[in-house]
């Protein structure tokens, strides 16, 4: 039972353009969402988060949007840079500090 | 500040053998997590410690997996006996406390291959 899904396993984008990564969840009890970035042979690193009381959170080139009614969130990277090439995981929890449930990841390739 | 350390980085064993992984969290971090990441999937939490006590082990296959954090610092995860489906990357993470979900710092992982 996959409660957090990332339906696009991979994404290729040109440098300077926007990358949009999508994530869907099924558990309506989730109210805290996070994005992690993972390079090969390294552990995931925290990127950005959003609480269910917000619909948008921005941090530099990264913006996360949350649509609670659709149980959908997205990560926008603008502009995309070659160093953004990595696997991105969406994660959700029932409250900050609770167990994280991860999606399967989306591999992003930013072409120079 | 040193990150989360894990060893070994790679391990190849045959099914029915035993294996152990070690994790040293960031100094002062009270909460320690072990995750299993199967190829093509996201990390799945196996067990969470707060100091030397278990907070959540609901997804740990207790018939073959065990974990301990005896002094509330480093931790060991053991599989005995291993099955083919245990092939995965085992990630350790730590955070200052249970509330700081944003600040879960991950180690590089141990890649286990069971033949």
């Amino acid at each position: 039972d996959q409660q957090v899904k990332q339906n696009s396993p991979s994404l290729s984008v040109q440098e300077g353009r926007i990358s949009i990564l999508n994530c869907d969840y099924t558990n309506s009890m989730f109210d805290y969402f996070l994005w992690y970035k993972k390079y090969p042979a390294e552990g995931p690193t925290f990127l950005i988060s959003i609480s269910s009381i917000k619909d948008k959170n921005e941090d530099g080139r990264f913006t996360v949007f949350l649509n609670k009614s659709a149980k959908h969130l997205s990560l926008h990277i603008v502009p995309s840079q070659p160093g953004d090439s990595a696997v991105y995981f969406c994660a959700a929890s029932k409250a900050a500090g609770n167990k994280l449930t991860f999606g399967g990841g989306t591999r992003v390739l930013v072409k120079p | 500040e040193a990150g989360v350390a894990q060893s070994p980085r790679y391990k190849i064993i045959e099914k029915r053998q035993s294996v152990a992984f070690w994790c040293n969290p960031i100094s002062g971090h009270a909460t320690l997590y072990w995750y299993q990441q199967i190829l093509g999937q996201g990390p799945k939490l196996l067990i969470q410690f707060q100091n030397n006590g278990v907070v959540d082990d609901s997804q740990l296959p207790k018939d073959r997996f065990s974990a301990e954090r005896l002094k509330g610092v480093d931790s060991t995860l053991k599989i005995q006996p291993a099955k083919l489906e245990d092939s995965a990357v085992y990630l350790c993470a730590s955070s200052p406390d249970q509330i700081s979900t944003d600040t879960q710092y991950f180690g590089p992982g141990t890649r286990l291959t069971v033949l």
Side-chain angles (χ1 to χ4, degrees):
Chain A
D1 173 28
Q2 264 192 297
Q3 298 187 65
V4 179
K5 285 186 184 177
Q6 294 176 252
N7 290 319
S8 297
S10 64
L11 171 70
S12 182
V13 65
Q14 207 66 34
E15 181 180 4
R17 306 294 289 266
I18 184 171
S19 295
I20 300 177
L21 290 76
N22 294 303
C23 178
D24 296 295
Y25 62 96
T26 57
N27 191 334
S28 57
M29 299 296 290
F30 288 145
D31 63 3
Y32 195 73
F33 305 90
L34 307 91
W35 286 93
Y36 281 81
K37 176 179 179 177
K38 186 182 182 304
Y39 292 118
E42 295 182 14
T45 55
F46 168 73
L47 195 56
I48 192 169
S49 63
I50 188 166
S51 163
S52 60
I53 62 173
K54 294 180 152 186
D55 55 17
K56 176 182 173 181
N57 189 26
E58 197 169 348
D59 183 1
R61 297 185 297 112
F62 302 91
T63 303
V64 57
F65 296 92
L66 176 62
N67 182 335
K68 281 189 67 179
S69 60
K71 294 191 179 69
H72 176 85
L73 62 155
S74 61
L75 175 69
H76 291 207
I77 307 173
V78 184
S80 300
Q81 299 174 353
D84 297 330
S85 297
V87 177
Y88 290 79
F89 291 99
C90 167
S93 72
K94 294 177 185 176
N98 262 310
K99 179 169 73 177
L100 291 178
T101 301
F102 283 85
T106 296
R107 183 177 300 277
V108 173
L109 175 63
V110 180
K111 295 184 281 189
Chain B
E1 180 182 70
V4 176
Q6 290 188 247
S7 67
R9 292 295 310 275
Y10 304 92
K11 190 74 178 179
I12 300 174
I13 62 172
E14 296 193 347
K15 59 183 179 184
R16 291 187 288 273
Q17 286 188 322
S18 301
V19 65
F21 313 126
W22 176 80
C23 171
N24 194 26
I26 292 173
S27 177
H29 279 195
T31 309
L32 184 146
Y33 312 81
W34 281 102
Y35 289 86
Q36 179 193 58
Q37 186 183 5
I38 293 172
L39 186 65
Q41 299 181 19
K44 182 183 85 171
L45 180 70
L46 293 175
I47 189 167
Q48 177 182 343
F49 291 95
Q50 178 69 15
N51 296 310
N52 61 352
V54 175
V55 173
D56 185 340
D57 64 356
S58 57
Q59 298 191 99
L60 186 74
K62 298 180 187 66
D63 57 335
R64 298 183 302 106
F65 286 64
S66 64
E68 59 184 16
R69 194 185 183 199
L70 292 175
K71 296 181 180 177
V73 181
D74 58 345
S75 175
T76 303
L77 176 69
K78 295 180 182 176
I79 308 175
Q80 181 179 4
K83 292 185 175 181
L84 296 176
E85 59 261 35
D86 298 332
S87 293
V89 174
Y90 290 85
L91 294 162
C92 178
S94 70
S95 65
D97 50 58
Q98 289 188 76
I99 299 172
S100 307
T101 308
D102 293 13
T103 50
Q104 266 191 52
Y105 296 89
F106 284 82
T110 296
R111 181 177 296 278
L112 173 68
T113 301
V114 182
L115 303 175

